[in-house]
Amino acid sequence: MSAMREAARQRVRRRSAGALIGAHLALVFAILTVLVVSGATGPADVGTVDAVRIIVGHLVPDAPWMSDGSITRLQDQAVWQFRLPRTLLAGLAGAGLALAGALMQAAVRNPLAEPYVLGVSAGAGVGAVAVITLGSAAVGGLPLSGAAFLGALGATAAVYLLARQHGVLAPTRMILAGVALGSLLSAVTSYLTLTTEAQNVFSVLFFLLGSVPAATMDQLAVPAAALAAVTLYALANARALNALLVGDENATALGVNVNRMRGQLVIAASLLTGAVVAVSGGIGFVGLVVPHAARIFVGADHRRMLPVTILGGALFLMAADVLARTVAEPTEIPIGIVTAVVGAPCFLWLIRQGRAARAGMLR
Amino acid sequence: MRVDFSDVVVALGGTRVVHGATFGVEPGQVAGLVGPNGSGKSTLLRSLYRVTRPASGTVGVGGQDVWELPPRTVARQVAVMTQETTADFDLDVLDVVLLGRLPHHRGFGGDSPHDLALADRALARVGAAALAGRPFAGLSGGEKQRVLLARALVQESQVLVLDEPTNHLDISFQLELMRIIGELGLTTLAALHDLNLAAAHCDVVAVMKEGRVITHGPPDEVLTPELIGDVFGVRAHRLSHPETGRPLIAFSSFPSPPSPDPAPERPAKEHAR
């Protein structure tokens, strides 16, 4: 009887819509806080209150404080043209990579899957590094982000076609094809890097580790659109994603067209990853770890874990970017270093907690 | 709903596993599929729940070919209690049961009170109400089977498919499971290894050998010692259950009957071989 009561109690806790809404609100509040902190952090002196006033002033028409001289042009520029775009881009990148990671993990039913498992980052790396080392003309005049996006798509398309046999997309073959092609493309990137002039190596490293330094508001459009589209698709198919977790045969018996769904997931996750990587480079760790952290907190049901994954990914990279540009001031370090150095110990602590067992980390 | 297999041929990786199986199950009947390992029982059932597409022949449910219907429609008519469930990512027991509602929903949205009520009732019916909040992967084999049966029940289908449902189960739950299945009144197809379970609980038994349904009919007509000897290569004896009078099958370990006093023409070392 006590076991039954215990079970009922746990169910109430885990299914409680209130707790879930609370978690969403906490994440949104934290995201807004980081946005303001980011606006108030940097060489040009802007206070927290002024940062809020600048951000709000650009969003509401005719805010009096924007024209009464209390905010200098320099402050306005620093917040609205430099700090905000890069923090927003970090947020979009974090949300996109975390969502892509969650979808990829469900698609191949493997906890070690991440957005780059199909060679997306290696492909983007070749495109971007070709532009950096050989110049834009060598790749038909494409800008760096365009070349990176094309490289990412090319790599995914190759893996997709290599993994397909008799119309069936087998997860294991897909992962192995991705790993093999990734190695091949990384070799190309390494060769291009080693044979280029020394001053280019710095740019290559920043791209490969990921960074969002020179972001502009214009750059946000493509990743934002990709994130919105894939989020809608994923939430509309959350039940079917759950079915994939219990095996292909079970999912089929529940009416899911497993093969078609897997193909859609791989394409959606790869397009999203490609759109993010093209503008922010190969930021690691987020796509692997944030979905697991979300499962630890709210369980593996995609209807509950996807929103937490998206918001959590955004928060994680936004905070990481603030750190990336402050810890070694005036130099900036690639955001990928921060995500690993800060994220890894936190995650290692998390997977040793009792609730991690509930997210399938008992085995 | 009727289920009809008509001349079904299934090839897996180029090898024919089912060679023209034909038989039908009347609405509400419990049909047992028996036969040796590798005789094609599971494969034939998989062609009903759309995992392996037949190379030729048709599989009909309620007169419609399941391979001509959308997967979701078939899942509303046919529920499956599968043998194995992978759990690399863990779902709660209740989440697993609610997956059975998937073919009834489309798009966004949480579980309705109706879904939750169905899940609670199904879990209670299979004696697993206390497991609802537990992680599925932490359950014992028998508990998992109960939960998977509950998932099949919330699918609210007219046809129930069970692939070796009594694997991993102790005798008490084997009997409980077969009793529950009998009470549901669904058209049921179960691949079974235990001939006595089939004899005691099935309305009809279909016997498979080397990819063909060689005979089907009521268990007391079909499960004769001659047929069992032919299909399984073992000696069997027909008894009758002291309470129910239904057929009961006893098996002999030796290929020929041991004589009470060793006959001179069959020396003892013949047995030792």
Side-chain angles (χ1 to χ4, degrees), chain A:
Chain A
M1 206 54 222
S2 78
M4 234 171 137
R5 218 174 302 133
E6 168 68 5
R9 196 186 58 77
Q10 280 181 357
R11 187 143 43 108
V12 167
R13 180 176 63 75
R14 286 170 62 82
R15 309 215 138 237
S16 143
L20 205 55
I21 290 170
H24 293 170
L25 285 179
L27 283 168
V28 169
F29 180 74
I31 286 171
L32 293 176
T33 308
V34 173
L35 211 54
V36 171
V37 170
S38 159
T41 306
D45 198 27
V46 183
T48 313
V49 178
D50 283 341
V52 175
R53 285 170 47 181
I54 292 167
I55 295 169
V56 174
H58 278 276
L59 296 178
V60 299
D62 305 325
W65 61 83
M66 295 304 282
S67 47
D68 67 1
S70 62
I71 290 161
T72 65
R73 235 175 77 86
L74 184 71
Q75 286 177 320
D76 181 42
Q77 251 181 0
V79 173
W80 189 250
Q81 286 179 25
F82 296 103
R83 296 173 192 173
L84 207 60
R86 67 176 294 162
T87 305
L88 287 176
L89 181 59
L92 284 175
L97 292 173
L99 174 60
L103 297 185
M104 212 59 111
Q105 286 166 359
V108 299
R109 203 182 315 114
N110 188 324
L112 295 178
E114 40 115 10
Y116 305 140
V117 74
L118 301 184
V120 177
S121 67
V126 170
V129 174
V131 170
I132 295 169
T133 59
L134 309 172
S136 190
V139 287
L142 279 173
L144 188 138
S145 63
F149 188 67
L150 270 190
L153 286 198
T156 312
V159 170
Y160 189 90
L161 294 174
L162 286 168
R164 244 172 102 94
Q165 214 163 38
H166 310 301
V168 175
L169 206 54
T172 308
R173 198 161 47 216
M174 206 150 65
I175 296 176
L176 292 176
V179 169
L181 195 75
S183 302
L184 181 69
L185 294 173
S186 298
V188 174
T189 306
S190 301
Y191 179 79
L192 288 175
T193 310
L194 281 171
T195 50
T196 187
E197 291 133 48
Q199 81 234 23
N200 287 340
V201 176
F202 192 70
S203 312
V204 169
L205 214 53
F206 258 83
F207 181 84
L208 293 181
L209 289 168
S211 57
V212 286
T216 60
M217 287 289 188
D218 303 340
Q219 282 180 317
L220 303 178
V222 174
L227 177 65
V230 176
T231 300
L232 277 177
Y233 167 77
L235 290 177
N237 289 281
R239 284 173 192 269
L241 281 166
N242 290 347
L244 282 186
L245 297 187
V246 294
D248 285 8
E249 190 157 329
N250 284 279
T252 307
L254 293 166
V256 177
N257 187 336
V258 172
N259 205 40
R260 195 172 67 190
M261 174 104 194
R262 183 166 283 139
Q264 288 173 351
L265 283 173
V266 168
I267 292 169
S270 300
L271 282 175
L272 179 54
T273 309
V276 168
V277 169
V279 288
S280 67
I283 303 171
F285 200 68
V286 191
L288 173 69
V289 155
V290 173
H292 286 303
R295 282 188 201 98
I296 289 174
F297 285 113
V298 296
D301 182 340
H302 285 91
R303 288 170 297 173
R304 278 172 277 155
M305 70 78 82
L306 284 176
V308 174
T309 299
I310 294 166
L311 293 173
L315 175 64
F316 181 45
L317 270 203
M318 288 167 79
D321 182 55
V322 173
L323 281 179
R325 60 184 226 239
T326 49
V327 283
E329 250 177 333
T331 341
E332 206 172 277
I333 60 174
I335 192 169
I337 291 181
V338 179
T339 57
V341 168
V342 179
C346 291
F347 188 63
L348 290 173
W349 173 80
L350 199 57
I351 59 174
R352 293 192 55 82
Q353 300 303 298
R355 59 211 301 185
R358 303 189 55 87
M361 286 174 203
L362 213 56
R363 284 145 291 132

Side-chain angles (χ1 to χ4, degrees), chain B residues 12-47:
Chain B
L12 295 178
T15 317
R16 275 192 169 197
V17 187
V18 176
H19 312 257
T22 300
F23 88 107
V25 186
E26 300 294 325
Q29 268 189 342
V30 176
L33 215 52
V34 303
N37 288 328
S39 59
K41 303 185 296 289
S42 296
T43 308
L44 185 63
L45 290 181
R46 284 198 182 98
S47 75

Side-chain angles (χ1 to χ4, degrees), chain B residues 72-143:
Chain B
R72 179 184 290 270
T73 309
V74 177
R76 281 199 291 261
Q77 294 166 353
V78 181
V80 188
M81 177 177 162
T82 41
Q83 230 174 10
E84 292 293 330
T85 292
T86 46
D88 289 316
F89 297 97
D90 208 8
L91 292 168
D92 281 359
V93 165
L94 190 61
D95 292 333
V96 171
V97 175
L98 286 168
L99 281 179
R101 299 303 297 159
L102 199 147
H104 297 274
H105 289 281
R106 209 178 254 290
F108 301 90
D111 306 303
S112 67
H114 176 63
D115 295 335
L116 290 167
L118 276 176
D120 278 342
R121 212 180 312 148
L123 279 169
R125 177 137 210 188
V126 301
L131 304 178
R134 295 257 304 272
F136 181 76
L139 303 182
S140 73
E143 289 171 332

